[in-house]
Amino acid sequence: MCDVTPRAEVALPADLSAARRARGFLREQLCRVHQEGALEQALLLLSELAVNAVRHGAPPVRAVVDCRVRVLHLSVSDGSRERPQHRRASLREESGRGVDLVDALSESWGVRLVPSGKSVWCEVAG
């Protein structure tokens, strides 16, 4: 399904412009097969992972896009080893729903501790 698209990685700024940069990177790297079926969902999820890394993690922040058979694997790493937390945001709060959003919209997701911090990943069906 996506045999010719190589894994791609980019450094993201450690500020809220990281979401915009991550979306642009994804659009540049994503193969046609995944663009047709999963682009909007993948853009939203990668944005959320990037914003969470900037707000709750630490530099350096990096995004990875890996087209695999039938799924698109997205991940964002940062320099903190602290895992994302589910929290109950009130209706009046403007933030606090990121982990729930990733959980609801992705096929699967998780956190992997790496020597430099952590990597939060999710998969989108292609």
mmCIF file of all heavy atoms in Angstrom, residues 23 42 66 68 98 106 118:
data_model
loop_
_atom_site.group_PDB
_atom_site.id
_atom_site.type_symbol
_atom_site.label_atom_id
_atom_site.label_comp_id
_atom_site.label_asym_id
_atom_site.label_seq_id
_atom_site.Cartn_x
_atom_site.Cartn_y
_atom_site.Cartn_z
ATOM 1 N N ARG A 23 1.961 20.103 10.649
ATOM 2 C CA ARG A 23 0.960 19.903 9.590
ATOM 3 C C ARG A 23 1.578 20.072 8.202
ATOM 4 O O ARG A 23 1.324 19.286 7.297
ATOM 5 C CB ARG A 23 -0.224 20.847 9.767
ATOM 6 C CG ARG A 23 -1.127 20.488 10.930
ATOM 7 C CD ARG A 23 -2.409 21.302 10.926
ATOM 8 N NE ARG A 23 -2.187 22.727 10.960
ATOM 9 C CZ ARG A 23 -2.064 23.457 12.070
ATOM 10 N NH1 ARG A 23 -2.149 22.889 13.248
ATOM 11 N NH2 ARG A 23 -1.873 24.761 12.004
ATOM 12 N N ALA A 42 -5.259 12.716 10.274
ATOM 13 C CA ALA A 42 -3.837 12.686 10.604
ATOM 14 C C ALA A 42 -3.316 14.083 10.936
ATOM 15 O O ALA A 42 -2.517 14.239 11.862
ATOM 16 C CB ALA A 42 -3.054 12.081 9.441
ATOM 17 N N ASP A 66 5.522 7.844 9.341
ATOM 18 C CA ASP A 66 5.946 6.558 8.791
ATOM 19 C C ASP A 66 4.734 5.876 8.157
ATOM 20 O O ASP A 66 3.823 5.441 8.870
ATOM 21 C CB ASP A 66 6.535 5.697 9.908
ATOM 22 C CG ASP A 66 7.238 4.459 9.404
ATOM 23 O OD1 ASP A 66 7.360 4.284 8.177
ATOM 24 O OD2 ASP A 66 7.667 3.657 10.253
ATOM 25 N N ARG A 68 2.950 2.934 6.701
ATOM 26 C CA ARG A 68 3.071 1.479 6.796
ATOM 27 C C ARG A 68 1.889 0.851 6.068
ATOM 28 O O ARG A 68 0.958 1.541 5.679
ATOM 29 C CB ARG A 68 3.088 1.049 8.256
ATOM 30 C CG ARG A 68 4.255 1.638 9.028
ATOM 31 C CD ARG A 68 4.221 1.251 10.468
ATOM 32 N NE ARG A 68 5.364 1.829 11.183
ATOM 33 C CZ ARG A 68 5.550 1.716 12.473
ATOM 34 N NH1 ARG A 68 4.697 1.056 13.215
ATOM 35 N NH2 ARG A 68 6.602 2.262 13.032
ATOM 36 N N GLY A 98 -6.740 16.820 24.913
ATOM 37 C CA GLY A 98 -5.848 16.279 23.891
ATOM 38 C C GLY A 98 -5.699 14.774 23.918
ATOM 39 O O GLY A 98 -5.801 14.111 22.886
ATOM 40 N N SER A 106 -7.695 7.906 16.898
ATOM 41 C CA SER A 106 -6.667 7.029 16.345
ATOM 42 C C SER A 106 -7.062 5.566 16.491
ATOM 43 O O SER A 106 -7.895 5.220 17.327
ATOM 44 C CB SER A 106 -5.322 7.286 17.024
ATOM 45 O OG SER A 106 -5.373 6.921 18.384
ATOM 46 N N LYS A 118 10.594 11.029 25.776
ATOM 47 C CA LYS A 118 9.496 10.125 25.426
ATOM 48 C C LYS A 118 9.053 10.391 23.993
ATOM 49 O O LYS A 118 9.331 11.441 23.425
ATOM 50 C CB LYS A 118 8.310 10.298 26.355
ATOM 51 C CG LYS A 118 7.581 11.626 26.160
ATOM 52 C CD LYS A 118 6.323 11.700 26.987
ATOM 53 C CE LYS A 118 5.735 13.091 26.994
ATOM 54 N NZ LYS A 118 6.594 14.148 27.480
#
